[in-house]
């Protein structure tokens, strides 16, 4: 294998684990949705994860003000809407209307689930200690919903600059984890 020097500005596209998410927030009457691929798991149970939400967008205000969000997991069937939600701002448009996404009431938090996504995770903000340095919000999943009809979700994995890998073949190997 002969490797060549690679621009640091593109490294994130090598590391991004995905899947790309749609984060919903609700501030007063206004529900919003943004595309988010910078996230990492921190704990098994209760599940906790860190999400980087830029303060240049609109969503971070609602997240900070309410401490609630839903992380929806889209599949390739709605890839265009996913990219659309990442290239528009809730400060200017109602993205649910613009991209034809359907809200469904969550059970434990105010932000809506997105019906078109095969899984939705209701979350509460549990740590803001790294928000000022990294824009990193630690969220805890308090309720999770998955469509049992979707056994092989073709999730999107961002490789940068509009490129995505789509999850494909699954393999299963022996594991000590049950
Ligand atoms: C594939 C993709 C992944 C993105 N990932 C993130 C992310 O992890 N964090 C972030 O702050 N913005 C991310 N963005 C950009 C936001 O989705 C974008 O700024 C959006 O317009 C914010 O919407 P809002 O202003 O309504 O909050 C991503 C965009 C795309 C297209």
């Amino acid at each position: 294998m002969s490797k060549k020097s690679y621009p640091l500005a593109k490294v994130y596209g090598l590391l991004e684990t995905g899947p790309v998410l749609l984060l919903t927030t609700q501030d007063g009457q206004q529900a919003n949705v943004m595309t988010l691929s910078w996230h990492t798991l921190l704990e098994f149970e209760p599940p906790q994860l860190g999400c980087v939400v830029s303060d240049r967008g609109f969503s971070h205000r609602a997240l900070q003000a309410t401490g609630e969000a839903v992380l929806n997991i889209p599949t390739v069937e709605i890839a265009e809407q996913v990219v659309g939600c990442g290239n528009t701002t809730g400060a200017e448009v109602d993205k649910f209307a613009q991209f034809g996404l359907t809200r469904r009431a969550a059970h434990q938090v105010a932000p809506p689930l997105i019906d078109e996504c095969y899984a939705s995770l209701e979350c509460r903000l549990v740590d803001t200690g790294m928000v000022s340095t990294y824009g990193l919000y630690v969220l805890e999943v308090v309720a999770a919903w998955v469509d049992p009809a979707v056994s092989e979700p073709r999730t999107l994995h961002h490789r940068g600059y509009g490129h995505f890998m789509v999850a494909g073949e699954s393999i299963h190997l022996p594991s000590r984890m049950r």
Side-chain angles (χ1 to χ4, degrees):
M1 200 178 288
S2 62
K3 299 189 187 82
K4 292 191 175 140
S5 174
Y6 196 70
L8 295 183
K10 290 186 165 185
V11 166
Y12 80 94
L14 302 175
L15 294 174
E16 226 157 30
T17 53
V20 176
L21 304 176
L22 290 176
L23 177 144
T24 55
T25 48
Q26 174 94 34
D27 201 359
Q29 290 301 307
Q30 186 175 2
N32 190 33
V33 48
M34 72 165 266
T35 308
L36 182 137
S37 56
W38 286 20
H39 58 82
T40 184
L41 274 169
L42 298 171
E43 184 53 274
F44 274 114
E45 202 175 340
Q48 291 182 333
L49 68 161
C51 294
V52 174
V53 180
S54 166
D55 63 5
R56 281 173 291 180
F58 189 64
S59 301
H60 81 102
R61 281 179 238 169
L63 184 55
Q64 285 211 342
T66 67
E68 294 183 343
V70 175
L71 297 171
N72 301 273
I73 311 181
T75 45
V76 66
E77 291 80 7
I78 59 164
E80 287 187 15
Q81 290 98 314
V82 170
V83 172
C85 289
N87 285 283
T88 50
T89 177
E92 293 166 2
V93 293
D94 174 351
K95 297 192 213 179
F96 288 93
Q98 174 141 346
F99 299 110
L101 297 171
T102 313
R103 288 173 240 196
R104 191 171 291 273
H107 286 235
Q108 300 206 31
V109 298
L113 317 184
I114 298 177
D115 230 15
E116 288 77 10
C117 292
Y118 91 97
S120 297
L121 311 174
E122 300 183 25
C123 297
R124 287 216 174 85
L125 186 55
V126 290
D127 191 345
T128 56
M130 282 188 282
V131 169
S132 60
T133 39
Y134 300 110
L136 185 90
Y137 294 78
V138 179
L139 301 174
E140 184 168 306
V141 181
V142 295
W145 309 97
V146 179
D147 182 350
V150 182
S151 56
E152 301 274 333
R154 301 189 65 212
T155 49
L156 298 163
H157 302 262
H158 193 211
R159 300 187 68 188
Y161 304 97
H163 293 276
F164 297 86
M165 273 192 303
V166 180
E169 185 191 2
S170 294
I171 60 170
H172 184 251
L173 300 170
S175 163
R176 286 193 309 169
M177 302 276 289
R178 299 267 163 217

